[in-house]
Amino acid sequence: MSSDPVETALKADLEALTDRLERDRFAERMLFKLGAQRRARLGVVAFAGGLGAAFAASQFTGVVSALARTLGAATPEIAMTGLSPQFLAAFMIAGALLATTLVLRQDF
Amino acid sequence: MEPADIELVTLAKAAQDERAFAVLVRRHQARLRGFLIRLCGDAALADDIAQEAFMKAHAGLSGFNGGGSFRSWLYAIAYREFLQDARKAKAAARLEEALRKETAGHQGQTPEAGGLASSMSLDLQQALAGLGEMERASILLCDAAGFSHTEAASALGAPLGSIKTYVGRARDKMRAALTEETQTVPASPKPEATPSQPTNGKQYVL
């Protein structure tokens, strides 16, 4: 414990001020604001993701037929792998979903 | 047992746990704001700076490497914010006004205008306002907030030796100002409170 009157006075003043500040709602307002940023970001990403998924779903049959044509014209070695156009199209969409998830998790 | 700051930071960083950061905010906000109020003399400005500091700390948590304490890292962000804000012309004007109010005394001050910034003893306020910026920040951190000299040096971005000098010089100046104040107070007549001039009714003795 210090006996310096200046230190004692400053400490007592800050303690009293801190006690008053503990009782207001600054922390709650602060955390709400922090949460709001996260919520807004999630909203934007979810909207963009939903839009992208709807677009991808609408293009699914087109992608499948395009892949079928590509696979048909491909070399026999690729055709022999047995990859169906449906599987490849689903794989592409899953890749896009994975990329969206990584962005959501802030890995990128 | 409450988790230590470093454990909460690790949780907030690794698991992106918002609750861990919320505990840190609740733990440090009042003291940080108290420090800033005493540093800049304006409660609203202090809250703005504290808010900005917490936002930046949250966004830059991955940059905290645990070399020093979390609170000195947080106060360093807040102090940089304070300096940036003080450099802006508008904020500088507010600061000057707040400091002028501090030194001008409480005569004619309404209770609403009193607020948190001026809840301090008038003598102490005047003595604190007479210090340089670094002296004030150093003595507030070391003497009021209980920082070690090393922590204060880290928070204020100054060499350890300079912090010790600032604290010593600030103590001397404040002691001299307070002694002077104590000697002059009995001689000065007590202002009479009139209905049109409300006083805050507080008498502080150091």
Side-chain angles (χ1 to χ4, degrees):
Chain A
M1 188 75 188
S2 170
S3 57
D4 188 312
V6 171
E7 186 175 348
T8 309
L10 285 173
K11 200 165 273 177
D13 167 68
L14 190 67
E15 285 300 326
L17 184 57
T18 303
D19 279 350
R20 290 174 66 182
L21 294 170
E22 289 281 9
R23 291 196 293 270
D24 67 14
R25 298 190 54 79
F26 176 87
E28 281 65 32
R29 287 198 303 273
M30 175 75 239
L31 293 169
F32 182 79
K33 201 165 180 175
L34 274 177
Q37 269 188 345
R38 189 174 46 85
R39 285 192 296 274
R41 187 175 176 279
L42 272 177
V44 168
V45 175
F47 177 74
L51 206 65
F55 181 75
S58 73
Q59 299 298 308
F60 188 76
T61 49
V63 173
V64 168
S65 58
L67 282 170
R69 274 197 305 277
T70 311
L71 282 177
T75 57
E77 286 80 14
I78 295 176
M80 278 174 68
T81 56
L83 291 173
S84 69
Q86 286 84 354
F87 175 78
L88 279 176
F91 187 75
M92 283 168 68
I93 290 173
L97 278 173
L98 179 71
T100 309
T101 311
L102 289 177
V103 171
L104 265 173
R105 277 176 44 87
Q106 301 183 335
D107 286 347
F108 289 105
Chain B
M1 198 176 119
E2 288 197 356
D5 282 358
I6 191 69
E7 291 170 331
L8 291 166
V9 170
T10 308
L11 258 179
K13 272 165 78 170
Q16 298 191 343
D17 191 338
E18 293 292 331
R19 290 168 305 172
F21 192 75
V23 174
L24 287 169
V25 170
R26 291 201 179 91
R27 186 176 289 174
H28 292 285
Q29 59 92 13
R31 202 157 265 268
L32 175 66
R33 288 161 65 210
F35 161 70
L36 289 169
I37 287 172
R38 291 299 175 243
L39 185 65
C40 70
D42 182 336
L45 179 61
D47 276 6
D48 287 349
I49 295 172
Q51 186 168 297
E52 199 56 38
F54 277 118
M55 293 287 218
K56 288 200 169 165
H58 182 256
L61 206 58
S62 53
F64 174 67
N65 55 19
S69 66
F70 172 76
R71 71 171 179 171
S72 64
W73 181 72
L74 177 67
Y75 278 63
I77 297 173
Y79 188 66
R80 276 198 301 273
E81 280 301 309
F82 161 73
L83 290 179
Q84 269 180 20
D85 211 78
R87 279 187 202 115
K88 291 176 195 165
K90 197 177 169 186
R94 279 171 74 184
L95 193 65
E96 200 178 311
E97 174 68 13
L99 291 174
R100 193 185 57 75
K101 272 186 206 161
E102 269 189 359
T103 49
H106 285 200
Q107 271 87 357
Q109 192 176 27
T110 62
E112 291 78 25
L116 292 166
S118 54
S119 62
M120 191 183 218
S121 144
L122 181 56
D123 296 348
L124 210 54
Q125 251 184 65
Q126 284 174 335
L128 208 52
L131 301 178
E133 194 178 275
M134 276 302 276
E135 290 169 348
R136 190 160 60 236
S138 302
I139 199 167
L140 281 171
L141 282 182
C142 294
D143 283 3
F147 276 48
S148 66
H149 286 131
T150 312
E151 276 184 306
S154 165
L156 301 177
L160 181 60
S162 305
I163 293 295
K164 288 179 181 172
T165 309
Y166 285 133
V167 173
R169 202 187 298 158
R171 277 184 192 152
D172 290 345
K173 281 187 183 177
M174 285 193 74
R175 211 172 288 130
L178 292 169
T179 312
E180 195 179 305
E181 198 63 39
T182 317
Q183 284 166 353
T184 54
V185 162
S188 61
K190 262 190 176 176
E192 285 179 23
T194 60
S196 60
Q197 277 190 317
T199 63
N200 65 6
K202 289 178 183 173
Q203 288 292 321
Y204 297 92
V205 179
L206 186 65

